[in-house]
Amino acid sequence: KQLRLDAHRLGVDLRGVTEKAEIIDLLQGALTGNAVQTGSSKQPADMSVSELRAEAARLGLDTRGCLERSDFVHLIEEDACAEGGSCRAEVQSQD
């Protein structure tokens, strides 16, 4: 409960964040000024499913239809690209 109060005081959005470790990471990022767009230092491809769910909720994304981890990763990366963030181009070879 104290962590959530500290987050509120620092202006850290915890919507969708359920894990204590995630809250601590967000607070540390806010205190050190290292907070990034995703609210975490991890790239979506490196996040756990619970982190991906929390990030999607924080971004206000509609996760209906996301059944697998890759669906969440794609949704978050697509949102970052649409918002002018880094776009991960996927090159597929034609055989």
Side-chain angles (χ1 to χ4, degrees):
K1 195 167 188 171
Q2 183 63 43
L3 292 174
R4 290 193 178 274
L5 290 173
D6 290 341
H8 179 70
R9 182 178 51 84
L10 293 170
V12 176
D13 185 9
L14 294 180
R15 284 181 286 180
V17 179
T18 58
E19 300 293 323
K20 181 179 178 180
E22 293 174 276
I23 295 172
I24 291 170
D25 286 343
L26 290 172
L27 287 172
Q28 286 175 337
L31 289 172
T32 61
N34 292 334
V36 294
Q37 182 180 359
T38 61
S40 168
S41 60
K42 293 182 180 179
Q43 294 298 316
D46 299 327
M47 292 180 177
S48 68
V49 173
S50 64
E51 290 172 321
L52 290 166
R53 286 178 195 253
E55 183 62 17
R58 188 187 72 77
L59 294 170
L61 301 176
D62 182 6
T63 59
R64 287 180 286 184
C66 292
L67 302 176
E68 298 188 16
R69 184 180 173 283
S70 60
D71 297 330
F72 287 98
V73 170
H74 179 73
L75 181 69
I76 292 169
E77 288 179 345
E78 188 176 76
D79 181 68
C81 186
E83 293 294 322
S86 61
C87 297
R88 221 176 100 190
E90 295 184 16
V91 180
Q92 297 179 353
S93 61
Q94 299 283 333
D95 289 332

